[in-house]
């Protein structure tokens, strides 16, 4: 398994334009929330306990993020848990309301992503490596943390291997 530094550096190679990164601050959360809303509609029981697909998807993602970085994994757990709580009432909407809302957010998020990649002049990372789909949300968190002055050594590692962020 690749390290946190390897995963984020690989993803960063496709994201060195500040405008592209900024579109990801909006586009990726919209896509992630839309996917969680879609999964939240899939309900199942294990004995007395009720679950939905969002719980499984979020738990799996968080376990992966925790393997890469405990602090970032815990932060992602909080963000994804809040999104899951917000998704449950949306999943309870009538079919067309739930599907319309979720798919609208999903497509809007991707439009924003592709606008960012137009600015970047590069294709999205997941085109070459599907791991980009799971690393994207972690990349956004890392970029926010870098703006706050946290994880400076990680930021320097990424810049050394992927290049600096351009205006």
């Amino acid at each position: 398994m690749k390290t946190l530094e390897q995963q984020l550096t690989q993803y960063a190679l496709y994201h060195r334009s500040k405008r592209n990164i900024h579109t990801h601050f909006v586009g990726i959360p919209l896509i992630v929330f839309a996917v969680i809303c879609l999964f939240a509609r899939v309900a199942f029981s294990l004995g007395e306990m009720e679950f939905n697909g969002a719980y499984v998807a979020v738990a799996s993602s968080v376990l992966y993020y925790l393997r890469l970085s405990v602090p970032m994994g815990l932060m992602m757990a909080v963000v994804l848990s809040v999104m899951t709580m917000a998704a449950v009432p949306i999943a309870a909407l009538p079919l067309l309301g739930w599907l319309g809302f979720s798919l609208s957010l999903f497509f809007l998020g991707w439009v924003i992503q592709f606008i960012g990649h137009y600015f970047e002049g590069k294709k999205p990372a997941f085109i070459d490596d599907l791991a980009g789909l799971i690393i994207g949300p972690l990349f956004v968190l890392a970029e926010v943390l870098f703006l706050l002055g946290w994880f400076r050594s990680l930021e320097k590692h990424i810049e050394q291997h992927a290049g600096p962020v351009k205006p």
Side-chain angles (χ1 to χ4, degrees), residues 53-159:
Y55 298 151
V56 174
V58 166
S60 301
S61 298
V62 167
L63 287 173
Y64 180 70
Y65 295 142
L66 286 168
R67 286 193 65 193
L68 292 173
S69 165
V70 171
M72 286 189 184
L74 292 172
M75 289 181 234
M76 288 300 296
V78 171
V79 170
L80 294 174
S81 294
V82 169
M83 286 184 170
T84 302
M85 288 187 286
V88 169
I90 293 165
L93 292 172
L95 179 67
L96 290 179
W98 157 74
L99 201 54
F101 180 85
S102 300
L103 292 179
S104 294
L105 284 184
F106 185 81
F107 289 117
L108 177 60
W110 279 111
V111 166
I112 293 168
Q113 294 294 95
F114 284 114
I115 290 170
H117 281 282
Y118 172 79
F119 292 138
E120 183 81 35
K122 293 182 183 172
K123 60 189 168 188
F126 79 89
I127 301 289
D128 291 329
D129 184 0
L130 286 177
L133 294 172
I134 190 81
I135 295 302
L138 192 62
F139 177 81
V140 168
L141 174 66
E143 288 294 328
V144 169
L145 295 173
F146 298 160
L147 288 173
L148 295 173
W150 296 3
F151 293 88
R152 285 290 182 214
S153 63
L154 176 60
E155 181 180 26
K156 286 180 184 176
H157 175 88
I158 292 169
E159 285 184 359

